[in-house]
Amino acid sequence: MMKPLSETANEARAKASELAEKTAENARATAEAAKARIQDGYGRARAATSDLAARASEQADAAREVAGEAYAKGKAQAKRANSKLKDVAEKQPLALVAGAVAVGALLGSLLPKSLRRSDDDEA
C-alpha cells in the first residue's frame, strides 16, 4: 500500500531539515577549525616578530657598546699621540721641523708633474 502524499512530503521535509542541520553543523565545525588555525598562525607570527625585535634590540645594544669602546680607545690613543708630539716639540724642536720638511717633500714628490710649478713658468 502506498503512503499518503502528505506523509511522504513530511518525511522528505524532515530529511531535508536533518541534512540542512548536518551541513550547518559541518560548516560551523570547519569555520571553528579555520578560526583556530588562523589564531594559532597569528600567535606564532606575533611571537616570531617579538623574538626578532628582541634580538634586534640586543644587537643594537651590543653595537652601541662596541662603538663606545672603540671611541674610548681612539680618544685615549689620540691623547697619547698628542702628548708624545708635545714632548718631541719641547725636547727636540729641530727634529720636529726636519720631520715636517721631510713629510712635505714626500707629499710634493707624489703630486703629478702638471700640478707642480716649474722654474720655466715663473720666468
Side-chain angles (χ1 to χ4, degrees):
M1 185 171 199
M2 272 179 72
K3 293 183 187 178
L5 188 58
S6 62
E7 189 178 325
T8 303
N10 285 339
E11 287 176 1
R13 191 176 311 128
K15 284 184 181 181
S17 178
E18 182 181 329
L19 183 61
E21 282 182 37
K22 284 183 179 179
T23 302
E25 187 178 311
N26 286 340
R28 277 191 294 275
T30 302
E32 287 297 320
K35 180 181 174 184
R37 282 192 299 254
I38 289 170
Q39 286 175 338
D40 181 52
Y42 174 74
R44 283 185 289 173
R46 193 168 154 194
T49 301
S50 178
D51 186 43
L52 285 174
R55 279 194 243 155
S57 178
E58 288 172 8
Q59 289 177 349
D61 289 344
R64 217 174 286 118
E65 185 177 328
V66 168
E69 290 171 3
Y71 175 76
K73 280 184 181 178
K75 190 175 178 181
Q77 288 175 345
K79 280 186 176 182
R80 283 194 301 271
N82 188 28
S83 177
K84 285 182 182 179
L85 183 61
K86 283 181 182 178
D87 285 348
V88 169
E90 289 173 6
K91 293 177 183 174
Q92 301 174 1
L94 292 179
L96 185 63
V97 170
V101 169
V103 169
L106 175 65
L107 291 175
S109 72
L110 295 175
L111 290 174
K113 289 183 181 183
S114 62
L115 294 179
R116 287 190 231 157
R117 284 188 178 172
S118 68
D119 292 333
D120 298 334
D121 291 343
E122 292 177 11

